[in-house]
Amino acid sequence: TAVANALLRPGLMIVSEVLVAGALLALLFAAQPAMTGVAIAVFAVVGFTFHALVRGPIVRMGSSYRFHNGLMLKWITQSVGAIKLVKILHRERYFSEAVARHSEPYARTAAVAQFLQVLPRLVIEVVAVLAMLGMVLIVVWGVEDRNAIIPLLGLFGAAAFRIMPSASRILIAVQQFSFATPALKAIRDDLALVPASAAADAVAAPRLAAPLPFAREIRFEGVRFRYRAATDDALRGVDL
């Protein structure tokens, strides 16, 4: 799931939007190379600057999101798995507070991440409107035959309505890459811990495991367990 959300969907979005925007830009470049080149340069500078400004915060939010999401699911799983003991020992408040410690920063991080995913569209629209306004001013002040330039402005305006969504989706996909970087690094680190021989065995055909060698029984004596941050043992002196 992490790989699909972090790589496949954003990658496919970038490829499809680059193809659409590239075809429209090729049409504009054939009609007016100079003006199209200036527009591409402006959007490229704005896009790279915006990404450079938000990449650091997005990566940190991705790390915080992964950390709190993992611990929140851990506490929920433990509380549900041991629901009988939780009710008997009256530990409901302990588990609810543990989940709340991570659910609140998790929700804040998700909200800010959603806001940053909307922000590229607003930035692209503002830049596009300013660019169109600059083109109109150039035409009004520097071209004598203004009637001849009106169809060209109409072509640029119609193309902008399709290029703007493509540019914003590309920036959103790049942000999704940055947001998922901590999760991808964690997957890479986990895979690096697996020896090459173990990975080869996992790909090979399954083999039957050898039976456990014990004569009569498996015995546990004096088992104890304490939850993290707890002051008392939940289990103590358990013999099985």
Side-chain angles (χ1 to χ4, degrees), residues 17-33 35-41 43-44 155-156 159-160 162-164 166-167 170:
E17 297 300 337
V18 165
L19 291 176
V20 173
L24 292 175
L25 290 174
L27 175 63
L28 296 179
F29 193 82
Q32 182 56 259
M35 195 174 295
T36 304
V38 172
I40 292 175
F43 277 100
L155 176 63
F156 272 83
R162 184 60 187 86
I163 293 177
M164 284 191 301
S166 295
I170 291 172

Side-chain angles (χ1 to χ4, degrees), residues 28-116:
L28 296 179
F29 193 82
Q32 182 56 259
M35 195 174 295
T36 304
V38 172
I40 292 175
V42 170
F43 277 100
V45 170
V46 172
F48 280 114
T49 303
F50 178 81
H51 177 64
L53 291 175
V54 302
R55 186 181 184 279
I58 287 179
V59 171
R60 289 192 295 271
M61 283 189 296
S63 179
S64 175
Y65 180 90
R66 175 181 169 274
F67 173 77
H68 292 292
N69 183 43
L71 288 180
M72 183 177 64
L73 293 178
K74 171 187 173 182
W75 284 109
I76 292 175
T77 303
Q78 289 182 350
S79 62
V80 174
I83 188 64
K84 291 183 179 179
L85 289 176
V86 172
K87 299 296 290 183
I88 292 173
L89 299 176
H90 302 288
R91 296 291 183 177
E92 298 91 342
R93 183 176 179 180
Y94 172 78
F95 281 97
S96 63
E97 291 178 351
V99 173
R101 282 198 302 269
H102 299 286
S103 62
E104 294 176 1
Y106 167 84
R108 287 196 300 268
T109 302
V112 176
Q114 289 293 329
F115 170 74
L116 290 179

Side-chain angles (χ1 to χ4, degrees), residues 5 17 31-32 39 47 52-53 61 69 79-81 87 90-91 117 123-124 126 130 144 150 169 171 175 179 188 204:
N5 292 332
E17 297 300 337
Q32 182 56 259
L53 291 175
M61 283 189 296
N69 183 43
S79 62
V80 174
K87 299 296 290 183
H90 302 288
R91 296 291 183 177
Q117 288 189 359
V123 173
I124 293 296
V126 171
L130 293 177
E144 295 182 358
I150 291 178
R169 292 190 188 105
L171 282 178
Q175 287 184 357
F179 188 79
R188 182 197 63 188

